[in-house]
């Protein structure tokens, strides 16, 4: 079989590539009507205080349900949207939708903080903080209910990043560095920035008991985060033993399928009504 495949390798991969390009083009084209067709939705994954198992907030994660292509994961369509220049509009929608959801939950007696993910292209724009301020104002929402998650890639433009972070801090919006450990920045570098939280990438958490290097890296991150006064959140927790490791080593917050996958707003509200701190 391998031999047969080897023989047809060229054609096999050419065909595959064409398939991929066709799908990419389809996605890019479909992006233009996705918003007006209401194909986007935010799901919400609870953030959990590990010692009690209770939720203290949620992260909003974008979902796109295309009538033909089905659920398209953000990891697939966000890079396409970025290169197509569609991310600005999408980002605005995400922030506006998250603000509206916070308001709706507040009206139903649920007081919950929502963090949205922002790609570095958005974050790098001069008017990013002003846009956030505008969205909060339009929704008549006080800033401490909204959080922003950005990845280490924003460190490429350190001076601008510092300025935007300071503006967000002045506003009172909570900021977390996402996927920490996968990029090139150090906690030391982060310590010079006005951020509130660091999220340990799930690739570290997944291997915590099998890979001693990752385990010791996680321990180092935990102790440095403590020294630097960052809130630390572990991503991708799927097993009890990971919770035990994290608690034993002083990391008190996390997210993962063990507690809850990202949920549609109604399901997230049900979860929060049952499991929210102070609920
Ligand atoms: P992220 O912000 O690091 O989000 C965590 C991802 O891990 C989510 O994937 C979530 O569904 C998944 N996850 C949560 N718990 C577990 C677990 O226990 N195990 C495993 N294996 N995975 C888990 P998702 O929703 O597919 O999002 C992927 C990435 O896409 C996000 O990573 C974020 O970088 C980006 N993204 C999502 N929504 C948005 C958005 O509205 N705007 C922007 N700019 N990026 C977004
Ligand atoms: Mg995130
Ligand atoms: Mg992450
Ligand atoms: Mg990620």
């Amino acid at each position: 079989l391998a031999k047969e495949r080897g023989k047809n390798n060229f054609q096999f991969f050419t065909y595959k590539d064409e398939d991929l390009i066709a799908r990419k083009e389809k996605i890019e084209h479909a992006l233009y009507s996705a918003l007006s067709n209401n194909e986007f939705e935010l799901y919400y994954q609870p953030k959990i205080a590990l010692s009690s198992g209770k939720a203290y907030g949620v992260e909003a994660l974008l979902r796109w349900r295309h009538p033909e292509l089905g659920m398209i994961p953000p990891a697939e369509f966000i890079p396409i949207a970025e290169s197509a220049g569609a991310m600005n509009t999408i980002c605005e929608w995400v922030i506006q939708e998250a603000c509206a959801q916070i308001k709706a939950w507040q009206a139903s007696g649920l007081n919950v903080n929502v963090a949205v993910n922002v790609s570095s292209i958005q974050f790098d724009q001069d008017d990013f903080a002003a846009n956030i301020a505008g969205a909060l104002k339009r929704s008549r929402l006080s800033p401490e209910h909204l959080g922003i998650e950005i990845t280490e890639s924003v460190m490429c433009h350190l001076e601008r990043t510092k300025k935007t972070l300071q503006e967000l801090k002045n506003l009172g919006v909570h900021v977390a560095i996402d996927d920490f450990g996968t990029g090139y920045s150090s906690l030391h570098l982060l310590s010079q920035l006005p951020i509130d939280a660091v999220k340990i990438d799930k690739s570290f958490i997944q291997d915590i008991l099998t890979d001693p290097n990752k385990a010791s890296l996680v321990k180092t991150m935990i102790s440095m985060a403590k020294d630097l006064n960052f809130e630390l959140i572990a991503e991708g927790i799927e097993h009890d033993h990971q919770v035990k490791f994290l608690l034993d080593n002083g990391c008190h917050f996390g997210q993962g399928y063990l507690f809850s996958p990202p949920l549609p707003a109604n399901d997230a509200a049900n979860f929060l009504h049952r499991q929210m701190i102070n609920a």
Side-chain angles (χ1 to χ4, degrees):
L1 197 79
K3 204 173 165 193
E4 211 168 277
R5 208 188 243 180
K7 204 167 60 185
N8 295 324
N9 234 357
F10 180 68
Q11 275 179 345
F12 181 73
F13 279 107
T14 314
Y15 175 73
K16 264 310 216 205
D17 283 352
E18 274 168 10
D19 233 21
L20 273 179
I21 291 167
R23 181 173 163 89
K24 216 182 134 176
E25 276 170 0
K26 221 176 196 175
I27 288 175
E28 189 180 327
H29 186 77
L31 270 171
Y32 292 99
S33 48
L35 269 181
S36 49
N37 291 346
N38 280 320
E39 291 167 9
F40 286 126
E41 188 179 346
L42 290 183
Y43 274 37
Y44 299 89
Q45 185 177 37
K47 297 186 174 181
I48 304 289
L50 297 178
S51 54
S52 63
K54 297 225 175 210
Y56 65 93
V58 295
E59 172 181 8
L61 292 154
L62 186 56
R63 295 291 176 263
W64 180 12
R65 204 187 309 270
H66 186 267
E68 253 176 77
L69 301 169
M71 271 287 202
I72 308 170
E76 182 176 16
F77 72 79
I78 286 174
I80 299 174
E82 280 179 348
S83 59
M87 220 34 218
N88 253 340
T89 323
I90 294 174
C91 184
E92 267 169 37
W93 181 84
V94 167
I95 288 163
Q96 193 254 302
E97 177 70 14
C99 289
Q101 188 61 68
I102 298 170
K103 282 305 263 192
W105 276 335
Q106 283 179 349
S108 75
L110 202 56
N111 203 5
V112 61
N113 299 351
V114 176
V116 297
N117 292 279
V118 174
S119 37
S120 51
I121 296 187
Q122 261 58 56
F123 188 83
D124 278 344
Q125 313 222 316
D126 280 336
D127 51 359
F128 179 77
N131 285 341
I132 296 286
L136 287 167
K137 203 168 176 190
R138 277 193 302 279
S139 312
R140 296 167 198 278
L141 202 64
S142 61
E144 70 271 11
H145 297 294
L146 187 69
I148 303 283
E149 297 190 3
I150 48 175
T151 60
E152 292 168 82
S153 56
V154 297
M155 302 304 149
C156 296
H157 312 106
L158 198 54
E159 283 318 304
R160 193 183 310 168
T161 293
K162 273 186 185 162
K163 183 171 166 279
T164 305
L165 287 172
Q166 194 56 54
E167 288 167 354
L168 290 171
K169 179 148 205 105
N170 295 344
L171 252 182
V173 171
H174 186 275
V175 179
I177 301 292
D178 208 344
D179 301 346
F180 184 72
T182 59
Y184 296 97
S185 61
S186 61
L187 274 171
H188 177 72
L189 179 59
L190 296 189
S191 73
Q192 299 162 26
L193 302 176
I195 56 169
D196 304 290
V198 173
K199 301 183 77 173
I200 306 175
D201 191 65
K202 55 179 174 287
S203 59
F204 292 89
I205 306 307
Q206 266 149 12
D207 300 338
I208 223 168
L209 282 204
T210 51
D211 183 341
N213 287 327
K214 289 211 172 134
S216 69
L217 275 169
V218 169
K219 285 188 196 173
T220 307
M221 290 184 208
I222 294 172
S223 75
M224 285 189 75
K226 202 170 275 169
D227 289 345
L228 298 169
N229 256 327
F230 290 142
E231 177 190 323
L232 197 65
I233 304 165
E235 292 186 322
I237 301 175
E238 296 182 4
H239 304 284
D240 282 323
H241 64 71
Q242 295 163 329
V243 177
K244 184 171 185 322
F245 179 99
L246 290 163
L247 281 174
D248 285 349
N249 289 286
C251 175
H252 299 286
F253 303 100
Q255 287 173 278
Y257 298 159
L258 177 65
F259 306 103
S260 169
L263 299 167
N266 282 339
D267 297 338
N270 288 333
F271 184 97
L272 293 169
H273 276 300
R274 276 180 286 121
Q275 301 264 40
M276 182 92 174
I277 286 176
N278 306 329

